[in-house]
Amino acid sequence: MRHLLTTQTLSRDEAVAILDTAEDMAEVSDREIKKLPTLRGRTVVNLFFEDSTRTRVSFEVAAKRLSADVINFAAKGSSVSKGESLKDTAQTLHAMGADGVVMRHAASGAPHTLASAGWIDAGIVNAGDGTHEHPTQALLDAFTIRRRLHGDASRGLGLDGVRVTIVGDILHSRVARSNLWLLRTLGAEVRFIAPATLLPVGIEGWPVEFGVDLDAAIAEGPEVLMMLRIQAERMHAAHFPSEREYAREWGLTDARLARLPANTMVMHPGPMNRGLEISSAAADSAKSTVLEQVANGVAVRMSVLYHLLATGEAS
Ligand code: CP
């Protein structure tokens, strides 16, 4: 693999290999000295044209734990705000000797452009592009599910037969898309639940069951309930009557939390709108994997950087 742009083309073997290496990286993160010399002399650029907390910081930590030199580049405060193009930005990074570029951009497809245009000779990681994909979020979600289900016996396993219900703003969610492709590749059964206005046009042609009734989905006792953030910043029209109505129909309220089976895990990629798509009690409950997802993100991103930059295997 040279780049990681999507989960759609990852094979099961490639995905399991990334998750297994992340297990090794998690062990490194548990040590007193949390460092490997693997990427010594390599330069990783975090190129963020959109805001981020978890993804940007965890890629920085991941690259530093692998001994890479890290350059953090945010569009705000850079020459991009003076109108510099993606091509000129990329060529500047190339001149600085970037070996890997972790890119977040509001435009769907921007990391693909960077990977294919020939402006820079570096491994490109998609850290979230518009409403398109967020592959490392899906990988860390899969890692988190696998670890909760199988613990120390996770290595080599997929997620065969695991029922995952993804709820909320599917329309704008790159997390839902990357998770759908990856979870299916790993053998999970995925269902989307959302108001009809927040389901993408043409979803009938996607390889996923979908519906609008969260209570019915909860009654079926999924092993995983993944709540998505309402992405108000991407909404240019009213998709539901009010926040109160949304929380009542599609939020993980305290009452719905109480109806979940004991072993259901509650996931959220963050940042959370507490009281809207998820109640505080649900977010902070023992079922919640929210902070595990953040911690696992470092190990998974170490693994991705390793596969791209140390072995040259990624594509
Ligand atoms: N989950 C996620 O991508 O969070 P950030 O926007 O904080 O990176």
Side-chain angles (χ1 to χ4, degrees):
M1 236 168 17
R2 170 87 174 119
H3 310 292
L4 178 64
L5 304 172
T6 170
T7 56
Q8 203 160 8
T9 53
L10 271 185
S11 69
R12 182 180 170 114
D13 284 351
E14 286 173 325
V16 169
I18 291 171
L19 301 185
D20 286 353
T21 305
E23 289 288 348
D24 299 334
M25 297 303 178
E27 283 176 13
V28 172
S29 297
D30 286 340
R31 291 185 199 157
E32 197 178 331
I33 311 256
K34 305 175 186 350
K35 241 181 157 63
L36 291 173
T38 317
L39 296 184
R40 190 177 288 156
R42 301 295 196 96
T43 299
V44 174
V45 177
N46 284 327
L47 182 61
F48 277 65
F49 293 88
E50 249 193 359
D51 293 341
S52 169
T53 299
R54 281 147 286 270
T55 310
R56 194 193 60 73
V57 172
S58 67
F59 265 114
E60 180 174 355
V61 173
K64 285 180 173 168
R65 286 195 182 161
L66 293 172
S67 304
D69 296 321
V70 181
I71 299 170
N72 289 314
F73 177 103
K76 282 178 201 152
S78 75
S79 288
V80 170
S81 56
K82 299 177 197 162
E84 188 162 40
S85 68
L86 180 58
K87 178 179 178 180
D88 287 336
T89 303
Q91 287 180 331
T92 301
L93 299 179
H94 180 62
M96 289 175 185
D99 298 292
V101 177
V102 177
M103 183 189 200
R104 172 169 289 193
H105 203 286
S108 300
H112 295 70
T113 302
L114 193 61
S116 60
W119 301 326
I120 184 167
D121 179 21
I124 310 296
V125 183
N126 180 359
D129 60 328
T131 59
H132 180 228
E133 284 229 33
H134 193 349
T136 59
Q137 179 69 45
L139 284 161
L140 75 88
D141 290 340
F143 183 80
T144 302
I145 297 167
R146 201 177 74 153
R147 272 203 143 186
R148 272 243 176 165
L149 291 175
H150 302 294
D152 289 344
S154 290
R155 279 188 176 78
L157 297 180
L159 297 173
D160 297 292
V162 178
R163 288 168 303 141
V164 180
T165 298
I166 303 179
V167 183
D169 187 357
I170 307 285
L171 180 64
H172 301 105
S173 180
R174 53 199 180 203
V175 174
R177 286 162 177 76
S178 285
N179 262 300
L180 173 60
W181 312 130
L182 180 66
L183 291 171
R184 277 177 50 85
T185 296
L186 292 172
E189 297 166 17
V190 184
R191 177 180 292 184
F192 287 164
I193 298 290
T197 50
L198 288 177
L199 286 168
V201 173
I203 188 137
E204 300 79 10
W206 295 25
V208 66
E209 275 184 49
F210 61 93
V212 297
D213 190 340
L214 178 55
D215 290 312
I218 284 178
E220 291 185 17
E223 281 96 348
V224 178
L225 193 63
M226 185 183 294
M227 307 307 296
L228 297 175
R229 182 172 72 86
I230 288 292
Q231 299 194 35
E233 76 277 16
R234 298 193 208 278
M235 291 184 183
H236 307 296
H239 291 272
F240 43 86
S242 68
E243 292 194 352
R244 182 178 297 195
E245 166 90 0
Y246 183 87
R248 190 171 63 231
E249 295 295 326
W250 292 284
L252 181 54
T253 58
D254 294 358
R256 290 193 176 106
L257 176 68
R259 294 205 301 274
L260 285 174
N263 63 347
T264 298
M265 56 190 101
V266 171
M267 307 188 79
H268 194 301
M272 293 181 282
N273 295 306
R274 288 172 181 255
L276 181 54
E277 69 264 2
I278 189 167
S279 72
S280 274
D284 300 333
S285 73
K287 293 184 191 311
S288 168
T289 62
V290 170
L291 294 179
E292 279 166 55
Q293 289 169 263
V294 174
N296 290 338
V298 174
V300 166
R301 286 165 177 138
M302 286 172 77
S303 172
V304 166
L305 292 175
Y306 171 81
H307 280 274
L308 262 65
L309 303 180
T311 69
E313 282 171 10
S315 82

